[in-house]
Amino acid sequence: MRRFEEPGEPGESADIRRVIEMRSARTRVQWSGWTDLRCPPIAVPLAAVVVITAAVAVWSGLVHRPFGGPGFTLALPAAVILATFVGWNQLGFAATDLRAWRETLLVIGALLVIVGMMFVERVGSPAEVIAYAIGSVEEELVFRLAAPLATGGFAAWVLGRPVTDLRAWGNVPCTVAVVTSAVVFTCMPGHLAQVAGPLQLVPFLTIAMLLTYIVLRTGALLPGIAVHALLNLATVAHLDGAIPYPAWVVIVAVGLGAYAMGAERAGRRLGLLAPAVG
């Protein structure tokens, strides 16, 4: 009986090697680049204004709470204007992008409904659920759009690269955008108030870097808004005793897992992931 040689053995045929390489190419993929986002020249300075406005408003206590809950600041309308200048279709709201993320949006949406019902039953009012949703929209627009555009755009300008073409920034400006945006997000007073020491900042930094990284790879804001709202609602419900700790851990793990896996699936569907070389 013929023995199948392991890859690299002298008797291995070219056909077998080709099959192995083809299977490897299908499973080993990498991001082909950063999101193909082009914005008008005004977008980068406007992004800086949005971030500064948000920081000043939050640290000064200039937060509006018409529905209760976390409220929102004047940075929200400014961030909406910024997103409009950039183009909502470029930010993952086109039909093609929504279809690419469909399983993720369904899973996180279902969890949001369940957690929202538990929140209303045991913690607060439906208006507060709306408030947390609005707060998540503001934070994602500020820290996953405006902050990366401002910091990454500045880094690109320093390196002499096109400021308004994110795909042309390269790895250094995008890395600067991911890290600095996560740091700014973590240093907001509401987040600092929840930590008792430096090590407790790690979850905030990690989640913020994950969200920013995926947005800069895929260009999609909506999945991040959804998972952010889910984490906020579930955490508040847990701290108020409405959700036990094990259930909270499961919700967080499933939400973040669905988001991370959905990014890879969406990347494949949209052609943003390519076979790894070597």
Side-chain angles (χ1 to χ4, degrees):
M1 181 178 293
R2 183 180 184 277
R3 182 174 67 89
F4 288 96
E5 294 87 358
E6 291 297 321
E9 291 186 0
E12 183 187 50
S13 71
D15 289 340
I16 293 176
R17 287 198 301 271
R18 191 176 300 111
V19 169
I20 293 172
E21 290 170 359
M22 289 175 64
R23 289 178 178 173
S24 177
R26 284 198 298 268
T27 57
R28 293 171 55 244
V29 293
Q30 63 185 12
W31 293 101
S32 58
W34 302 93
T35 182
D36 188 12
L37 189 152
R38 294 176 175 84
C39 53
I42 194 176
V44 172
L46 178 57
V49 170
V50 169
V51 176
I52 294 170
T53 300
V56 170
V58 172
W59 281 100
S60 303
L62 301 176
V63 181
H64 305 280
R65 295 184 174 87
F67 305 108
F72 61 90
T73 72
L74 289 176
L76 176 58
V80 170
I81 293 172
L82 171 64
T84 303
F85 273 121
V86 173
W88 292 98
N89 281 349
Q90 287 199 97
L91 299 175
F93 288 87
T96 304
D97 296 276
L98 297 177
R99 285 196 297 270
W101 284 91
R102 58 185 179 272
E103 294 92 351
T104 299
L105 293 175
L106 285 173
V107 170
I108 297 177
L111 286 174
L112 265 174
V113 170
I114 295 171
V115 173
M117 291 173 63
M118 297 175 69
F119 184 94
V120 171
E121 181 182 356
R122 305 175 186 178
V123 179
S125 65
E128 287 183 90
V129 175
I130 296 174
Y132 279 102
I134 295 174
S136 300
V137 171
E138 176 175 348
E139 288 193 316
E140 289 302 300
L141 286 175
V142 171
F143 298 108
R144 251 59 77 184
L145 174 62
L149 276 180
T151 58
F154 178 75
W157 175 76
V158 170
L159 294 174
R161 298 173 185 175
V163 173
T164 59
D165 185 355
L166 194 147
R167 196 173 183 86
W169 284 3
N171 290 334
V172 172
C174 286
T175 301
V176 169
V178 169
V179 175
T180 55
S181 299
V183 170
V184 173
F185 172 79
T186 303
C187 290
M188 289 294 103
H191 301 148
L192 293 177
Q194 299 179 47
V195 301
L199 287 180
Q200 293 185 351
L201 292 172
V202 174
F204 287 100
L205 278 169
T206 303
I207 293 174
M209 289 177 69
L210 172 67
L211 293 172
T212 309
Y213 177 81
I214 290 178
V215 167
L216 292 185
R217 285 296 192 187
T218 67
L221 281 175
L222 182 58
I225 292 173
V227 76
H228 195 148
L230 173 66
L231 296 180
N232 284 351
L233 272 179
T235 301
V236 172
H238 164 62
L239 293 176
D240 282 359
I243 295 179
Y245 180 75
W248 175 78
V249 170
V250 171
I251 291 170
V252 171
V254 172
L256 289 175
Y259 181 61
M261 293 174 63
E264 181 179 359
R265 185 178 293 268
R268 290 177 183 269
R269 289 170 172 167
L270 297 171
L272 302 174
L273 283 164
V277 178

